[in-house]
Amino acid sequence: MVYELGSSTGVLSSKLARRHAATRARFVGIEKVAEMIAQAQLECGDLPNLGFVQDDINLHPYERADLFVSFCTIQFVPPYLRQTLFDRLYQSLNWGRALLIYEKVRAPDARFQDYMTSLYVDFKLERGYSPDEIVSKARSLKRVQEPFSTRGYLDLFKRAGFVDGS
């Protein structure tokens, strides 16, 4: 069993399911937003080894799994719930299996965070975004997105019981 946490429209789940279609692996995308599930089923409904479930990743009753993947999802989980989520995921994994996350991260200190933010704004401006668009996007994410530093995520892994990798 392979789970994608926060599967959105199913792009990653469908790529994994297509890549491993010849195996017995089953893929499940978990997504909280009904419209995203509907779009995922519309785009990926032809894959027999892939299904989608509308649920909260913090509450879902996970079966034993070989892999959990999360692409820019954990940063939207309230910080006070993250350790419990990592603990549950670790406990749901078969021995020797993995949790892979890809997340935005904060810099290790305020000075580097300011530098990284400045580089990011420059990057957006170079790609044609207006200052108003950049500020509006930052404000819209202010109360819902809370990235940790790399060290913060590694600490979550360690406290949950993960020992290999980084």
Side-chain angles (χ1 to χ4, degrees), residues 7 14 23 36-37 43-45 48 55 57-59 62 64 66 68 86 89 96 101 103 112 120 127 138 144 162:
S7 58
S14 66
T23 70
M36 295 289 189
I37 292 286
E43 294 182 22
C44 313
D55 204 353
I57 63 170
N58 296 295
L59 303 174
Y62 298 106
R64 299 297 294 177
D66 293 317
F68 287 97
F86 272 58
L89 298 175
I101 67 170
E103 296 288 327
F112 285 116
Y120 186 66
R127 277 158 183 69
V144 294
F162 292 95

Side-chain angles (χ1 to χ4, degrees), residues 14 16 21 35 45 75 84 91 128 136 142 162:
S14 66
L16 291 170
E35 294 80 10
Q75 62 203 354
T84 301
Q91 292 164 6
S136 178
K142 188 78 169 163
F162 292 95

Side-chain angles (χ1 to χ4, degrees), residues 42-164:
L42 182 67
E43 294 182 22
C44 313
D46 62 325
L47 296 170
N49 60 339
L50 173 60
F52 294 94
V53 176
Q54 183 183 352
D55 204 353
D56 182 332
I57 63 170
N58 296 295
L59 303 174
H60 187 74
Y62 298 106
E63 293 178 30
R64 299 297 294 177
D66 293 317
L67 178 65
F68 287 97
V69 294
S70 174
F71 186 79
C72 294
T73 299
I74 305 300
Q75 62 203 354
F76 293 101
V77 172
Y80 71 93
L81 294 175
R82 291 181 193 174
Q83 188 63 61
T84 301
L85 175 60
F86 272 58
D87 293 349
R88 289 185 64 233
L89 298 175
Y90 179 79
Q91 292 164 6
S92 297
L93 280 168
N94 291 318
W95 186 88
R97 302 311 191 232
L99 164 60
L100 300 175
I101 67 170
Y102 175 91
E103 296 288 327
K104 287 184 178 180
V105 294
R106 290 194 190 279
D109 65 45
R111 183 172 55 102
F112 285 116
Q113 184 61 46
D114 289 346
Y115 182 66
M116 296 302 291
T117 300
S118 176
L119 287 173
Y120 186 66
V121 168
D122 290 346
F123 170 81
K124 290 290 200 174
L125 289 169
E126 289 169 4
R127 277 158 183 69
Y129 290 91
S130 72
D132 286 343
E133 289 173 316
I134 296 168
V135 170
S136 178
K137 179 70 172 190
R139 284 183 178 155
S140 73
L141 293 173
K142 188 78 169 163
R143 295 186 188 359
V144 294
Q145 182 186 51
E146 184 67 34
F148 282 178
S149 66
T150 300
R151 176 82 270 148
Y153 286 114
L154 291 174
D155 288 347
L156 288 173
F157 277 106
K158 184 177 181 180
R159 286 190 300 266
F162 292 95
V163 293
D164 295 332

